Amino acid sequence: MRSIILIVFLPLLASLIAGLGQRLIGKTAAKGITTGALFVSCALSWPIFLSFLSGGATAQVVPVLDWINSGELQVDWSLRVDSLTAVMLVVITTVSALVHLYSWGYMEEDPSQPRFFAYLSLFTFAMLMLVTADNLIQMFFGWEGVGLASYLLIGFWYKKPSANAAAIKAFVVNRVGDFGFSLGIFGTFLVFGTVSIPAILEAAPAMAGSTIGFAGLRIDTMTLLCLLLFVGAMGKSAQLGLHTWLPDAMEGPTPVSALIHAATMVTAGVFMLCRLSPMFETSEAALTFVTYIGLATALFAATIGLVQNDIKRVIAYSTCSQLGFMFFAIGVGAYGAAMFHLFTHAFFKALLFLGAGSVIHAMHHEQDMRYYGALRKEIPLTFWAMILGTLAITGVGIYGVFGFAGFYSKDAILESAFAAGSVSGTVAFWVGAFTALLTSFYSWRLIFLTFFGSARWAGSEHIQHAVHGDHHDLPSDEHGDSSHSVAKVQTGTAGYHPHESPWTMLVPLGVLSVGAVLAGFAFYYPFFGTEEGARFWAGSLVHDQALVEAAHHVPMWVKLTPAIVMLIGLALAWNNYIRLPDMPAKWIQATGPIHNFFMRKWYFDELYDVLFVRPSLWLGRFFWKRGDEQTIDRFGPHGAAYAVGVGNRITARVQSGYLNSYALVMLLGLVGAATWAMTR
């Protein structure tokens, strides 16, 4: 198990070499070192996962160094390796290694490739530090490291104002969540006297029912701690209220979208809640809150995904929605189902993002689906990869025979929600089923708009530039969100010939396609079996065998519901974009206010602008103008300078330069001194 040291620290070492030594070693060596390090970490991670899968491994803690010793706060840097960690290891290292390889082709023309690969590896190290944490302080450092690296990656093209704005937005919104997380850590240390995760989880059941003072009130201790910790998860995993950064993060290069938003950073919140599941089991109120936030996020993001035209943003809102599924699974107590969906989601969502990148690469960095169409014969390998990813996310399968990845994991969540038998569980089932219908619709809409119908390339400015001589394929040419613009839909190819991606981009698509097809079928019982799940998880998270058993025996109509809603979504998408392509325009005209409401993302950005951005700017300007310039500067440095100037002018008048004047002043001084001495 000592290999965990190499798994965690090889990406950090590679990042330092590529980032600091890029001028000495060159871009090819920088790319080779970082990519090679990630493939080594990946190769070492899979045996650990498979050993836990077979039952041949037990949880271990590998010490690294003594870290913090301050009074009662004793923190060692140790790497925890159990089945929960093993799942995250293969997810992180596999996706990251494939993204590194993919970036060889996608970022080929970018002049800052060493910096990009260094950031990717730094991000991976921070994520690995997070999931191997044996205490909350170590987890928090990994948590913040991921935030830093994501800021660097999202704003990688820093010369683009939209990229800078997106990076700042992601950083600020995540700091709000991280503040709640830090308060949760402070409170946990106050209550338990330790930040050691095993010690906290062991003592948590004894604290059930206790109260603590907070903001002048007496509140249930475990509910307060769990809610504060959940705020941190809301920020990282883009749950409703702290979700606004996720779609804008698409301003970063497409490989970043696959790495951060498909498999790693956004799943950190899910991992954290599963790791701390014994704490959450002590508070029914906290779990209920998690359930409703999760299902609200799933529905909210799906409605916005319906109307997006930017191919990356459709997938981004899909990510947000699927994270909602994971959280309401946690809320009903199905932690294994949440991790199962996290696992399968990593494969098919990374596949969809990288597949979208391949489409963008073929279409001269055009991202608006309204300018696609008829691409299935032009880029057939990308087409089939996207088809497999869509089959996986929409949950296509035949009950009792075979299904793609999402067929097993998403169904496990819905069945668990129904089996929970609570009000929140029942609501989550029906809302989740409706959300699955919307997911099917917008996922197949993406496929039909992109690969079927007539070519609409002629209306694209990117294609026109390519046709008229600008053949430079620069990744930074990716544009921002154009969903609000009016498309000049023109049929025809404009003489442009899309090109399939290079092998460095196609190989990751092939590997991820295998996961999208087989991950659910192959790992269903270890993740979600009654007895098999208990053996696999082995106490690394709460595995409610009674709930899992009940989920396996829900009525047949419950099991068939996900398949039915998937077919309805597929039929609606086919009818609107293949059979009757004029129908979407009629729907938009008929549902103008609703469509605009969804297009404006429920007006969250506008609301936050009024509530937070403008008051903050006003307050900042007030303190700047009134506080800094008119008060501090006026009576501080500027006032002192003014006083010195006045004093100099007075002194200049006194200093006439005549000897008799100086003698008179000296005489007056002596008279004054003698008078004072005589009158004492």
Side-chain angles (χ1 to χ4, degrees), residues 228 240 246 321 352 355 379 385 414 457 482 560 563:
L228 289 173
L240 189 65
L246 182 62
S321 183
L352 288 171
I379 45 174
L414 293 175
W457 316 341
S482 61
L560 295 178

Side-chain angles (χ1 to χ4, degrees), residues 189-425:
F189 179 71
L190 176 66
V191 171
F192 295 99
T194 180
V195 292
S196 170
I197 292 175
I200 293 168
L201 300 184
E202 183 181 359
M207 295 302 299
S210 64
T211 60
I212 190 174
F214 182 77
L217 303 172
R218 297 299 299 181
I219 302 175
D220 183 81
T221 303
M222 296 309 297
T223 298
L224 175 64
L225 296 181
C226 290
L227 290 179
L228 289 173
L229 294 169
F230 178 58
V231 170
M234 288 178 64
K236 274 291 183 290
S237 297
Q239 293 300 284
L240 189 65
L242 296 178
H243 68 280
T244 55
W245 68 271
L246 182 62
D248 289 351
M250 298 301 104
E251 289 291 340
T254 297
V256 173
S257 304
L259 180 61
I260 295 180
H261 310 111
T264 51
M265 177 177 171
V266 295
T267 62
V270 179
F271 165 80
M272 186 256 284
L273 263 62
C274 289
R275 172 66 81 199
L276 303 179
S277 53
M279 287 184 66
F280 282 81
E281 284 293 299
T282 63
S283 174
E284 183 177 351
L287 287 176
T288 301
F289 183 77
V290 172
T291 302
Y292 284 115
I293 290 293
L295 66 89
T297 303
L299 179 61
F300 157 80
T303 61
I304 300 176
L306 294 174
V307 300
Q308 295 297 303
N309 297 312
D310 186 307
I311 188 172
K312 287 172 63 175
R313 288 178 181 261
V314 174
I315 304 173
Y317 279 107
S318 172
T319 297
C320 193
S321 183
Q322 297 307 305
L323 288 167
F325 272 87
M326 300 175 203
F327 275 104
F328 78 67
I330 290 172
V332 301
Y335 303 97
M339 288 302 302
F340 187 27
H341 198 49
L342 184 155
F343 182 79
T344 62
H345 179 266
F347 291 100
F348 61 71
K349 187 52 61 71
L351 175 61
L352 288 171
F353 266 121
L354 296 185
S358 186
V359 173
I360 296 168
H361 185 267
M363 294 297 288
H364 205 73
H365 297 282
E366 175 60 69
Q367 295 178 209
D368 197 322
M369 298 184 298
R370 293 173 293 183
Y371 302 120
Y372 290 167
L375 286 174
R376 67 185 185 279
K377 295 182 180 179
E378 305 292 336
I379 45 174
L381 297 178
T382 299
F383 165 69
W384 283 111
M386 292 289 286
I387 286 290
L388 293 176
T390 302
L391 292 170
I393 192 173
T394 57
V396 174
I398 301 174
Y399 179 74
V401 181
F402 177 78
F404 293 84
F407 174 79
Y408 295 95
S409 59
K410 190 182 294 184
D411 285 20
I413 291 176
L414 293 175
E415 291 164 8
S416 298
F418 185 88
S422 60
V423 174
S424 60

Side-chain angles (χ1 to χ4, degrees), residues 140 143-155 163-179 232 235-236 242-246 248-249 260-261 265:
F140 186 77
W143 199 269
E144 294 303 300
V146 170
L148 169 64
S150 67
Y151 172 80
L152 297 174
L153 287 168
I154 295 169
N164 280 326
I168 293 171
K169 189 175 186 178
F171 193 83
V172 171
V173 173
N174 273 277
R175 297 295 74 72
V176 174
D178 295 351
F179 179 68
K236 274 291 183 290
L242 296 178
H243 68 280
T244 55
W245 68 271
L246 182 62
D248 289 351
I260 295 180
H261 310 111
M265 177 177 171

Side-chain angles (χ1 to χ4, degrees), residues 426-572:
T426 303
V427 174
F429 170 77
W430 288 110
V431 174
F434 180 67
T435 302
L437 188 155
L438 301 182
T439 301
S440 177
F441 177 84
Y442 66 65
S443 297
W444 289 110
R445 171 180 177 262
L446 184 153
I447 293 295
F448 294 146
L449 279 175
T450 302
F451 297 104
F452 292 86
S454 58
R456 302 179 301 278
W457 316 341
S460 169
E461 292 184 7
H462 290 264
I463 298 301
Q464 291 294 336
H465 291 164
V467 171
H468 292 95
D470 181 12
H471 295 284
H472 297 289
D473 249 358
L474 297 177
S476 56
D477 289 337
E478 290 185 6
H479 57 72
D481 185 15
S482 61
S483 296
H484 303 294
S485 65
V486 178
K488 299 178 181 178
V489 179
Q490 302 177 31
T491 57
T493 66
Y496 181 73
H497 300 285
H499 50 90
E500 190 65 271
S501 300
W503 72 267
T504 54
M505 296 173 62
L506 294 176
V507 168
L509 295 183
V511 175
L512 292 169
S513 295
V514 174
V517 175
L518 298 176
F521 176 79
F523 300 108
Y524 177 76
Y525 286 104
F527 279 85
F528 196 63
T530 306
E531 300 294 335
E532 300 91 333
R535 287 193 296 270
F536 174 66
W537 294 118
S540 61
L541 54 70
V542 173
H543 181 73
D544 190 340
Q545 289 185 263
L547 175 62
V548 175
E549 184 68 18
H552 286 302
H553 293 89
V554 294
M556 182 56 66
W557 68 267
V558 174
K559 294 179 178 293
L560 295 178
T561 295
I564 294 171
V565 298
M566 181 278 298
L567 291 173
I568 294 173
L570 171 60
L572 290 172

Side-chain angles (χ1 to χ4, degrees), residues 580-591:
L580 300 171
D582 295 333
M583 185 62 69
K586 295 179 180 179
W587 275 107
I588 293 173
Q589 187 176 4
T591 61

Side-chain angles (χ1 to χ4, degrees), residues 607-621:
L607 178 64
Y608 285 2
D609 184 64
V610 172
L611 293 179
F612 303 114
V613 177
R614 293 183 184 180
S616 298
L617 290 173
W618 179 87
L619 198 62
R621 293 191 185 97

